[in-house]
Amino acid sequence: MIEIRNVTRSYGAFKALDEANLSINEGEFFSLLGPSGCGKTTLLRMIAGFDNPTTGSIAVDDQPMAGIPANRRPTNMVFQSYAIFPHLNVEQNVGYGLKRLKLEAGEERRRVEEALAQVSLTGLGKRGATELSGGQRQRVALARALVMRPKVLLLDEPLSALDKKLREQMQVELRRLQQAVGITFVLVTHDQYEALAMSDRIAVMFGGRIAQVASPKEIYQRPVNRQVADFLGGMNFVRGEIIEENGASLTLDTLGFGRVSTEKPTAFVRNGGAATLGIRPERLRVLWDDETSQFQVTGTVVERHYFGEITHLVVEIPGLEKPLSVTETNDFGADDIPVGSAVRLAYDPEALVAMAD
Amino acid sequence: MIEIRNVTRSYGAFKALDEANLSINEGEFFSLLGPSGCGKTTLLRMIAGFDNPTTGSIAVDDQPMAGIPANRRPTNMVFQSYAIFPHLNVEQNVGYGLKRLKLEAGEERRRVEEALAQVSLTGLGKRGATELSGGQRQRVALARALVMRPKVLLLDEPLSALDKKLREQMQVELRRLQQAVGITFVLVTHDQYEALAMSDRIAVMFGGRIAQVASPKEIYQRPVNRQVADFLGGMNFVRGEIIEENGASLTLDTLGFGRVSTEKPTAFVRNGGAATLGIRPERLRVLWDDETSQFQVTGTVVERHYFGEITHLVVEIPGLEKPLSVTETNDFGADDIPVGSAVRLAYDPEALVAMAD
Amino acid sequence: ADPKDLIVLDWSGYEDPLLHPAYTAKYGGEPSFSFFGDEDEAFEKVRAGFKADVGHPCSQSVVKWRDAGIIQPLDTSRIAGWADLNPDIMKMKDLATTADGKAWFMPFDWGNTSLLYRTDHVTTDEAKSLKIFADPKFEGRVTIGDNVDDAYALASLVIGLKDWTKMTDDQFRQASDFLRQVHKNVRFYWTDDTDLNQAVSSGEVDLVWGWNETFVTLKGQGVPIAMNRDTDEGLSTWVCGYVLLKDAPHPDQAYDFFSAVNAPEVSSYMVTTFGYGHGNAAGMTATDHTLLSERGFDNLDKFLDKTLFQQPVPPELKQRMVEEFEKIKAGY
Amino acid sequence: MSGLKRLVPGGWLSVYAVLYVAFLYVPVLFLPVFSVNTAATPKFPLSGFTWKWYEGLPHTPELLNAAWNSLVVGLSASVLSTVFGILAARAITRYRFPGRRPINGLIMAPLVLPEIIVAISMLLVILQLGLSLSLFTVVLGHVLVCIPYSMTVLTSGFEGFDRSLEEASADLGESAFGTFRRVTLPMVTPAIISSLLVSFTISLDEFIIAFFLTGTEATLPIYIWGQLRFAAKLPGVLALGTLLLVASFVLLSIAEVLRRRAARRTQSEGGLYA
Amino acid sequence: MTAAAEGSAPLAASRPGRKPLLQSESAQGLALITPTFLYALVLLVLPILVVIAHSFWTQHYLTIDRTFTLENYRIALTEPIYRDLLWRSLYISLVTSVATVVLAYPNAYYISFHGGHRKGLWLFLITIPFWTSYLLRVMSWKVILGYNGVLNSGLMGLGIIDEPITALLYNSNSVIITLVHAWAAFAILPIFVSLEKVDRTLIEAAKDLGDGPLRSFLRVTLPLSAPGVISALLIVMIPTVGDYVTPKLVGGKDGVMIANAIQAQFGKASNWPLGAALSVTTMIVVTAMAGAAVLIIRRAARLAR
Ligand SMILES: Nc1ncnc2c1ncn2[C@@H]1O[C@H](COP(=O)(O)OP(=O)(O)OP(=O)(O)O)[C@@H](O)[C@H]1O
Ligand SMILES: Nc1ncnc2c1ncn2[C@@H]1O[C@H](COP(=O)(O)OP(=O)(O)OP(=O)(O)O)[C@@H](O)[C@H]1O
Ligand SMILES: [Mg+2]
Ligand SMILES: [Mg+2]
């Protein structure tokens, strides 16, 4: 559906995008995930046709896009800065693209109403563009693109100004829409949960380069390197010495976790005799007094952070350079474990993954 | 420090803010939390002096603010729309407010550099304002306010365009700064995690009204009504019949959870013989085969959603109108529980709270 | 023929139907007028190819128009009352007729340039000589026309020259020197009658080298003003008239127009409404004498010996005058 | 100050604005006074009251025609030059292309070329093109001299235009022209109004080009300047000027009343141009 | 004269290097400017050629001698009269344009910031006086500034002066006053247009950072409205250098400007070549002055930071 081949975009000497390669399939929900300034918007703008690659090519539906202006591309975009037309009211903004299609008056109204309902803005149709709150603007921008039912919908952080509840509702709505109409979605987001929850596949970018393209689970569980691992949520890193390496498996000796056997990543690059192992904080669980586990480490709680649903503990383990982060749901009072107390942490050895630095 | 008394702001017949009352203490980290369009920005702008209450009064440091222009208020603001000066570069934007203070040249440079470092923008000082990504702009806006070290810092969704990692880093930085310098922070956010993690106290707003003002834990654990409860994260609601009501305690009969005794909320309003009980999804835990609990319910998994660190399960309980949501960290394979399987859920009776509808 | 076919390139104001009643009567309508405000601009417009039948230049431009080949000789036999044209004006060299006997120009309106002064600030004694214009006493109280012809007419009179076509280099220098003296006193150089009218009546200046029309209008408004045509040095007479443009598309109508404007009946209307003299001497004579004296046209003959007729000067001399006057005006 | 501020928006600034506008009207407000004075030229003290200059107006059809011609020329020229100005200003501010500066220079040239040269040369060109002189050719000429003014005003309007709005429009499938019409134009309305006003004003007073390019139809300045030979005719012009002034105000008041009505109906706040 | 589009440097950095797309971008720009350009080209090439060619020729009475010569430029540049007239014109136009812009700015600001929904009304109100003939306005000015004029009478009536001030009319001052008045609308409009576009949040941000009304104005509003100020300055400065009507009407003998000399050469003096050389010289000087003014404003705007 969308083929991005060796696309580079330079601003002077600075490369906002560096040799990017991607193929996005028809009907796929694809996300671009990466830290601020990594080139997400830049890439999206080139797909939409507002900017041109310095080198490289972009094709949509097997058709090279070079030279095709934005209005003749089968894409619609939700702008990060919203780009609401200030001289039009909400309804007119949303109906903007429909006007050109010369629908029956009733039909146009109906579709505008529907789009406004989808973004929970029913009743605000007559509001002026300058009389909206930040989140309302963003939703108008979203409705304006949704109403067009394009082949490819490009969304540049379309939900960043919305509260969690509304965002979740919109996420569901977007997924529903995508599956119902079969639109290809390219979502730019800085919210890893959003990307993980919604996407079929995710591309993780850093500093203009694409680091990994994979399914949410794959990316979360088997990040190719520390950077990706780190970006997708906390990760505890453990250095290990490679003891044995055969076929698909790898055995290492670690200080904190002892001897560990793990699956060898496809693109594993040996870096001397040592390797990095990662384990997510939520894959560690505090054992209660009466519980035991075959795989466990013991340490001392040094910090505790309360986050409503969950609590983060920082646990110092003798032998490990850095203390481990542990996430616990607050089901049985993890938020009451006193700082300074000793805890035992259980883990699943499968959760320990080897990766590049 | 900041006293908001009966403040209403009307746009024609529409009340963006309706009889708001708040006191914010000196050195406090105070958050305004609420859905899009509930009046957060409106309130903040009135504190900063860009807008005036239709009725009511605002005082800062015991001084009534009516008639005092923004530039003579001891507040600084980070705008939701950033408001970066387009004719100035990053450095000049950040140094804007300092210029007036006539610091030594070196001192000014140093403070600008420091602020840029605080928002991880070191090295981008010479970039033009139009050459920044969305997140970078937001950080410039933040640095520009931080560098002024005001008595009161007003932040209108200052981190909404940042990825989780950077956001967490900035959250830590902001807290650190706030504690070090003793600034009063008023943070507008739509992100309940952010509010819970950072604030000393939170005001939750809906449709122009303040619903509850309390500490994060209080607000999370003892929401005054269903709306607040719901907004702060999923909540399972269970209807119960009041059996006994004495002093500080309440005993109810529920269908799913049987007879429950719970603390009576301070402002509990009896609504006939029935009441609503709530329990957060994370306070329910799936019991493994070998585990047992004194308090447990049994049901069937009907949905499963994967979110990286955590998995959400939707569990149907015989007798309950709505199925229960359950959040599990993915420590021991909650993400592998098949849909359709029977599970037992353990809960802590203390986690069941009574509330207004 | 359609009366509108005839195109008259004229100053605005001259489209007045009462200035050519015979034409209107004959054709049952008015000719088309194309207006101008400055002869040189009109000249350039015609030269650039603008097609009209009749033009209305003044004496000083006629030579230029003729030399540029934009006008054609007149068949005087087709103009009624040609013989009645003011003989003194007709006498001017190279104006109405050239040495070869061809007629090019039909005088239509004329007037005097003479000394006007405000009686409340200038005594009759002082106003006896044109030299008063250079009198330091009147610094900043003088205006003369922003018009080479009027200016050099004044200077020529002062240096005692009546036929300026014969101006020698030396006389030219003297004349220019006098104008430089005058420049020191000049408040502004007037460009049109309206301008002048306003300035004198509002007390901006006391001494004017100006037209009788101004005098009449101002006098009529009760401004304390006098006109001395009998100065020691004399006065000047200018004249404007109609020409037939080269390749005029409608010569027949043009001749009828010439005849119409030259009709003796026009004289009195011209004198009354416009304050100018009419080219038709017969018509002028027939005009009510009180009106003529009121308008200052009663005794032209009396000053005949004292008048400098602004007859065309040789182009080279004209060129020098123009250049010199530009410098003088700028203070050099 | 604060008392004043409560009274009028803008405080001292509004006082200044009113004074400044008064300054603009000072010379103009004398016209009605002189138009009913018996004296032929404007001056004090007044010599007597009369309506005769107004009564004389119907008898000077040339003057009325000239005024009408000026109006027609002014309206056409301002619209055309604004259209041309919009195209050029847009191209200059939005695109980078070879020859941008020289082309811009050429378009702006009438500002510095002597008017008489422009006028004579245009006459030659127009006659070469086989056009006959009429009000239309005057319009052609005025458009040429008005374009630089329109462009100057319009460039400051197009400057710094938020591109993402146009991008959004293109993204919604609108063609370049459609985007221009539906997004760009409405947003630069103040500039367009200003450009119309500026070029109308320029055209209304332009004399030389009108003189050279007109046939037998005079515009007001041509008529007035030609008539200065007769001080006695001026009051008619004063009377007409006064009438036009009054007409402008009447029209403006009607427009304002209509706008208020419309505003009341739609409850929206928009300018005359919104 | 290229300056009206100054300050409009399109996002240069945002365009990739030499690419076919660049061509399509330039093609769009060219296509857009073509109608206007062609229009100007057809009607203006001749005048420009006429001026330039004549400046190198000589005229004898009615005939043009087409031998190349620089004599006209020698005269234009060395004759004190032309040099002085040029200086005076530049001085007058500079004073006029600066005064006009300075006086107009607050008004434009007022309309834009406090005009509410009456902005359109204000704009019309401001241009209406200029729809009466310039000539009539000038006459009014003479009534006001004249020897026994309104101003003098008023001042004498108040006992401030004993005899009429003659310095009010028929000199450079009156030219400047008349011009400042005549060009007011032309200055207000572009400034208003650019003020309209200033994002009000930015001013709030400046206030928030501690700037009082004046400082936030100087540091944010003014620099952001610089394009309008530049336009206004140019739109007044350039034409006033070439104005000859005003000096002719109210300039008296001391307010004569270069354009009067040029006009005279094309008119009664019939010396087109000299007139042309004077024109070309003036054009170059005006362009240089306009360019310098633009640079200074830009520099000033930068300093305000
Ligand atoms: N100028 C205005 N005219 C009319 N209504 C307005 C105006 N400005 C804001 N509103 C309305 O007031 C309400 C509150 O707006 P506000 O900007 O305070 O919301 P918010 O809580 O900041 O929302 P968000 O999280 O989306 O930014 C919204 O419903 C908005 O539509
Ligand atoms: N016009 C420009 N000139 C120079 N650099 C630019 C320009 N536009 C963007 N950049 C830089 O290119 C990089 C990528 O920008 P982009 O907008 O694609 O980031 P992003 O991934 O969308 O970030 P965010 O999440 O903050 O929006 C950034 O470092 C930005 O500063
Ligand atoms: Mg971005
Ligand atoms: Mg907001």
Side-chain angles (χ1 to χ4, degrees), chain B residues 140-191:
Chain B
V140 172
L142 188 55
R144 192 173 64 180
L146 283 180
V147 84
M148 297 303 293
R149 297 186 194 146
K151 270 196 174 169
V152 179
L153 191 57
L154 308 169
L155 305 114
D156 197 350
E157 314 212 348
L159 309 174
S160 66
L162 306 183
D163 56 279
K164 191 182 171 207
K165 246 188 107 65
L166 191 55
R167 191 158 70 229
E168 279 171 3
Q169 182 185 324
M170 298 298 317
Q171 283 168 356
V172 172
E173 181 70 27
L174 284 179
R175 271 254 55 152
R176 194 191 58 68
L177 215 90
Q178 192 247 350
Q179 280 157 357
V181 197
I183 309 177
T184 307
F185 274 40
V186 183
L187 175 81
V188 161
T189 180
H190 56 250
D191 180 342

Side-chain angles (χ1 to χ4, degrees), chain C residues 5-11 23 31-34 36 42 46 50-57 65 70-72 74 106 241-258 261:
Chain C
D5 284 349
L6 181 72
I7 299 177
V8 183
L9 184 58
D10 213 331
W11 311 77
Y23 182 92
S32 301
F33 282 90
S34 180
F36 66 87
V46 175
F50 177 66
K51 284 266 166 290
D53 297 292
V54 174
H56 188 167
W65 287 43
I70 60 170
I71 59 178
Q72 53 175 312
L74 300 172
M106 188 190 77
Y242 284 105
V243 293
L244 184 61
L245 294 173
K246 183 113 179 161
D247 304 325
H250 312 95
D252 298 340
Q253 270 162 282
Y255 279 111
D256 285 329
F257 183 76
F258 282 124
V261 294

Side-chain angles (χ1 to χ4, degrees), chain D residues 16 25 27 140 159 205 208, chain E residues 7 39 103 125 137 140 197 244:
Chain D
Y16 177 85
Y25 275 87
L140 286 186
E159 200 103 327
D205 252 337
I208 297 221
Chain E
Y39 190 84
L103 290 174
L125 211 57
R137 274 177 280 143
S140 279
K197 289 188 322 193
Y244 69 91

Side-chain angles (χ1 to χ4, degrees), chain C residues 40-41 44 64 67-68 141 183-184 186-188 191 194-195 198 202-204 315 319 322 326 329-330 332, chain E residues 61-62 79-81 84 139 142-143 146-148 166 169-170 248 252-253 263-264 266-270 272:
Chain C
D40 293 301
E41 283 163 11
E44 297 293 353
K64 191 169 159 189
D67 290 345
R141 311 293 308 159
H183 178 79
K184 294 198 186 113
V186 162
R187 177 90 171 119
F188 71 102
T191 47
T194 312
D195 200 13
Q198 196 187 14
S202 66
E204 196 74 43
Q319 188 76 18
V322 169
E326 284 301 317
K329 279 194 299 175
Y332 290 87
Chain E
Y61 189 34
L62 292 172
E79 284 274 330
I81 170 173
D84 292 0
M139 284 188 173
K142 287 191 193 170
V143 171
Y147 191 75
N148 288 332
T166 50
L169 190 55
Y170 296 122
K248 193 167 155 184
K253 58 174 184 175
Q263 184 73 9
F266 284 117
K268 46 193 153 193
S270 294
W272 280 38

Side-chain angles (χ1 to χ4, degrees), chain B residues 186-219:
Chain B
V186 183
L187 175 81
V188 161
T189 180
H190 56 250
D191 180 342
Q192 37 283 75
Y193 290 110
E194 197 165 284
L196 292 172
M198 298 176 78
S199 322
D200 293 322
R201 282 193 306 147
I202 298 174
V204 184
M205 300 173 65
F206 291 101
R209 293 172 164 279
I210 296 177
Q212 185 171 10
V213 184
S215 71
K217 217 163 176 171
E218 171 85 11
I219 271 205

Side-chain angles (χ1 to χ4, degrees), chain A residues 175-196:
Chain A
R175 271 251 60 149
R176 194 192 58 67
L177 214 92
Q178 191 244 351
Q179 280 156 359
V181 197
I183 309 178
T184 307
F185 271 44
V186 183
L187 173 80
V188 162
T189 179
H190 57 250
D191 180 342
Q192 36 283 74
Y193 290 109
E194 195 164 285
L196 291 172

